[in-house]
Amino acid sequence: MKIVMCASEVVPFAKTGGLADVAGALPLALEERGEEVIVIMPKYKSVQNSKFDIQVSKEGIPYSVLGKKIKVYFIENDAYFNRDALYGDKTGDYPDNLDRFSYFSKKALELLKTVNFKADIIHVHDWQASLVPVYLKNLFAKDPFYKDMRTLLTIHNIGYQGLFPKDEFPKLGLDWSLFSIEGLEFYDKVNILKGGMEFSDIINTVSPTYAKEIQTKEFGFGLEGVLNKRKNSVFGILNGLDYSIWNPETDKFTAKNFSAKSTRGKEQCKEDLQALCKLPLKKDVPLFGIVSRLAEQKGFDILADGIDAICNLGLQMVILGTGDLKYHQILEEMVKKYPKVISLNLKFDDALAHKIYAGSDLFLMPSRYEPCGLGQLIAFRYGAIPLVFKTGGLADTVDKKNGFIFDDYSKDELIKTIKASVAAFKVKTKWSGLVTGAMKLDFSWEESAKKYLGLYAKAKKTK
Ligand code: ADP
């Protein structure tokens, strides 16, 4: 099959979250299975010629190669993409995001013709690429080159929909008739993700539980009706993990390498992390890691409410992340109060993330909702036992046998579960069994890639 992966962030070129991990790893897994894949993403500032081997195609398009021969084409427009960040700065989203990503989507489709890639499937991700199916079925509908192309939209988080004022609609170059209930209209605003949901042939999200959850009022962010209408075309496929990147046996960022067979190196990783974060070097105190966006979605509301009490439970905590200023401030206060308990790192830092997964005994991820979550999967592989709220992909991957899970979203339940995990950590032989068991779990892409191929085949059969 000829497959196009179209995403606004792709590892290793640009990343703000799990979407990039998926868009970088799934093509590799598909290529392994013998499929022909290309990737299309914007040429951000981070896509530097010096860092990646960037070439120019005979048609004049910059590209790089992933895996054996996956071409990653970059849509270039310096005014739109040559910026420090992907979607916004500390004042909020970039005001011209609709211009930026409608440009990206249109150019991505044009590129297929330019490089003569007659795709079977265009697999688009999140709102930033959701205009691809809209344009394909409207602006490009008459062009025979595109006639047999089908689309799959993967929703990585339905909380981010690409909402814009109605008066920006004309910029999309679409007929006003599409500003309707069956189109992109949403409470008198433009909703780009909704457009993708209306016009893609198949929709999926990144775990079976989240696929069910988003069809309810509680989790659907207003789009549950659209999903219900298309419920026979909505699926859930758990993300895999790229174990060539996330592998404690070969990790270049960690103080020592280790494996399920020999976890000794993990102790040194813990000591290294404690030293780096200026925490007391203590073996017998459980070290909790957090690598996350600091957002309410990730459970920071109950965590912020409970953090003072949590700091008194006989543990250490290393937090890495950026996000809502409110949480930056609350956590900064806590660091002042408990400098020997918490280390706060308000930044995006891939190397430190690796060190945290490797050096932590537990990984805290009390997300209020979680489409799939990669943090807990990475944590498993590094023997950091996840402690999570029972929702979405966390409910599909963590249970009482491999981690700690609570099912009532409240500060009190969080604290109770942390207490229980601290007590469990003290029972050494049982704990080391938990660690090695977690490290052996397999969430590789193989199974998920097979399932995606199943969805592509289904999409091909649609009219
Ligand atoms: P999200 O909702 O943010 O996509 P996921 O759990 O699916 O959450 O994926 C988050 C990914 O981003 C993981 O690979 C995690 O390690 C990484 N990550 C999150 N915050 C940071 C940070 N501040 N520094 C480095 N990596 C981070």
Side-chain angles (χ1 to χ4, degrees):
M1 233 187 263
K2 287 172 106 110
I3 301 155
V4 182
M5 205 61 67
C6 197
S8 58
E9 49 184 277
V10 180
V11 161
F13 306 103
K15 166 167 169 174
T16 70
L19 161 63
D21 292 301
V22 174
L26 177 58
L28 298 174
L30 292 168
E31 184 181 57
E32 279 297 305
R33 303 189 65 81
E35 308 297 336
E36 193 181 344
V37 191
I38 65 167
V39 180
I40 309 178
M41 66 172 285
K43 190 166 188 297
Y44 300 111
K45 203 181 212 170
S46 64
V47 185
Q48 291 162 3
N49 290 37
S50 55
K51 233 168 121 193
F52 306 102
D53 182 21
I54 300 189
Q55 307 167 43
V56 178
S57 77
K58 63 178 189 296
E59 302 86 6
I61 300 161
Y63 74 95
S64 186
V65 175
L66 272 188
K68 290 190 201 87
K69 53 175 188 183
I70 300 168
K71 282 196 172 147
V72 181
Y73 288 105
F74 300 106
I75 302 293
E76 206 168 15
N77 181 323
D78 281 352
Y80 285 155
F81 302 125
N82 195 16
R83 301 182 186 178
D84 288 333
L86 271 49
Y87 311 124
D89 53 26
K90 54 180 183 301
T91 61
D93 289 342
Y94 290 134
D96 58 351
N97 273 348
L98 177 131
D99 309 70
R100 299 170 76 225
F101 291 104
S102 59
Y103 176 86
F104 168 65
S105 301
K106 208 177 283 174
K107 288 287 164 192
L109 282 168
E110 287 172 6
L111 181 144
L112 298 181
K113 198 169 182 181
T114 310
V115 303
N116 193 25
F117 193 85
K118 226 175 196 173
D120 293 296
I121 291 293
I122 311 177
H123 184 168
V124 303
H125 298 262
D126 279 352
W127 80 261
Q128 291 90 344
S130 279
L131 284 166
V132 170
V134 180
Y135 286 147
L136 184 69
K137 291 246 168 90
N138 292 282
L139 301 187
F140 293 71
K142 291 214 175 83
D143 187 333
F145 182 81
Y146 297 91
K147 192 170 100 345
D148 296 324
M149 298 190 192
R150 296 290 177 271
T151 50
L152 167 69
L153 165 67
T154 299
I155 301 170
H156 293 260
N157 189 335
I158 206 161
Y160 299 88
Q161 303 179 350
L163 278 175
F164 299 93
K166 179 183 182 173
D167 59 18
E168 290 205 46
F169 185 76
K171 291 181 179 176
L172 299 177
L174 294 164
D175 194 90
W176 266 109
S177 64
L178 291 176
F179 189 76
S180 63
I181 296 197
E182 279 77 38
L184 288 81
E185 190 268 341
F186 184 71
Y187 299 99
D188 214 32
K189 285 191 168 153
V190 181
N191 185 322
I192 306 284
L193 183 69
K194 178 169 178 273
M197 290 162 67
E198 295 283 357
F199 286 100
S200 58
D201 296 301
I202 303 267
I203 300 167
N204 86 298
T205 184
V206 288
S207 69
T209 297
Y210 192 59
K212 286 191 208 117
E213 286 173 345
I214 55 175
Q215 298 186 46
T216 66
K217 201 166 181 327
E218 192 186 349
F219 293 97
F221 282 89
L223 290 177
E224 58 278 6
V226 184
L227 287 164
N228 273 319
K229 195 176 72 181
R230 299 207 56 196
K231 64 171 178 282
N232 294 329
S233 307
V234 179
F235 299 88
I237 299 180
L238 208 57
N239 287 335
L241 198 60
D242 184 347
Y243 288 120
S244 68
I245 296 175
W246 300 108
N247 182 357
E249 294 181 46
T250 54
D251 198 312
K252 299 236 170 5
F253 295 114
T254 57
K256 270 270 168 211
N257 290 127
F258 56 95
S259 66
K261 274 201 199 104
S262 164
T263 55
R264 287 271 303 279
K266 187 165 172 70
E267 285 172 29
Q268 246 165 296
C269 290
K270 177 171 176 178
E271 203 177 299
D272 177 61
L273 183 64
Q274 286 171 325
L276 189 73
C277 295
K278 303 192 171 56
L279 294 172
L281 305 185
K282 287 187 176 167
K283 276 198 179 99
D284 51 339
V285 173
L287 175 55
F288 283 69
I290 295 182
V291 180
S292 177
R293 288 182 284 114
L294 305 189
E296 190 181 308
Q297 183 222 324
K298 297 289 180 182
F300 277 85
D301 51 347
I302 53 173
L303 187 64
D305 274 356
I307 190 76
D308 207 324
I310 291 167
C311 285
N312 287 295
L313 294 179
L315 49 79
Q316 295 179 339
M317 191 177 287
V318 176
I319 303 174
L320 168 64
T322 57
D324 292 355
L325 283 181
K326 181 170 78 177
Y327 299 126
H328 286 207
Q329 283 157 3
I330 295 172
L331 293 171
E332 269 165 345
E333 284 306 307
M334 282 300 117
V335 176
K336 276 188 213 144
K337 195 166 170 189
Y338 302 103
K340 290 190 173 155
V341 178
I342 301 192
S343 156
L344 183 62
N345 307 273
L346 298 172
K347 57 183 174 176
F348 194 94
D349 184 338
D350 198 33
L352 182 56
H354 282 252
K355 287 178 196 291
I356 292 175
Y357 289 114
S360 302
D361 299 301
L362 289 117
F363 189 76
L364 195 54
M365 201 164 166
S367 306
R368 177 186 281 273
Y369 75 91
E370 191 59 76
C372 173
L374 292 175
Q376 84 281 17
L377 304 183
I378 304 172
F380 275 139
R381 185 46 59 115
Y382 283 76
I385 304 304
L387 190 159
V388 306
F389 174 57
K390 188 174 182 183
T391 184
L394 296 172
D396 288 334
T397 53
V398 183
D399 57 34
K400 289 205 162 103
K401 285 195 229 93
N402 61 23
F404 296 88
I405 186 158
F406 59 103
D407 56 12
D408 172 23
Y409 190 79
S410 68
K411 167 190 91 172
D412 292 341
E413 279 304 303
L414 172 66
I415 295 173
K416 207 168 107 188
T417 314
I418 293 180
K419 251 190 210 161
S421 71
V422 171
F425 177 76
K426 308 262 145 101
V427 189
K428 279 293 154 224
T429 46
K430 227 173 154 188
W431 189 263
S432 48
L434 195 58
V435 170
T436 49
M439 290 184 71
K440 285 183 191 153
L441 293 171
D442 184 8
F443 292 99
S444 55
W445 267 105
E446 218 163 284
E447 274 310 303
S448 306
K450 254 192 248 168
K451 289 186 180 147
Y452 271 109
L453 281 171
L455 285 195
Y456 297 160
K458 223 183 255 293
K460 271 313 271 182
K461 284 195 195 127
T462 57
K463 282 220 184 97

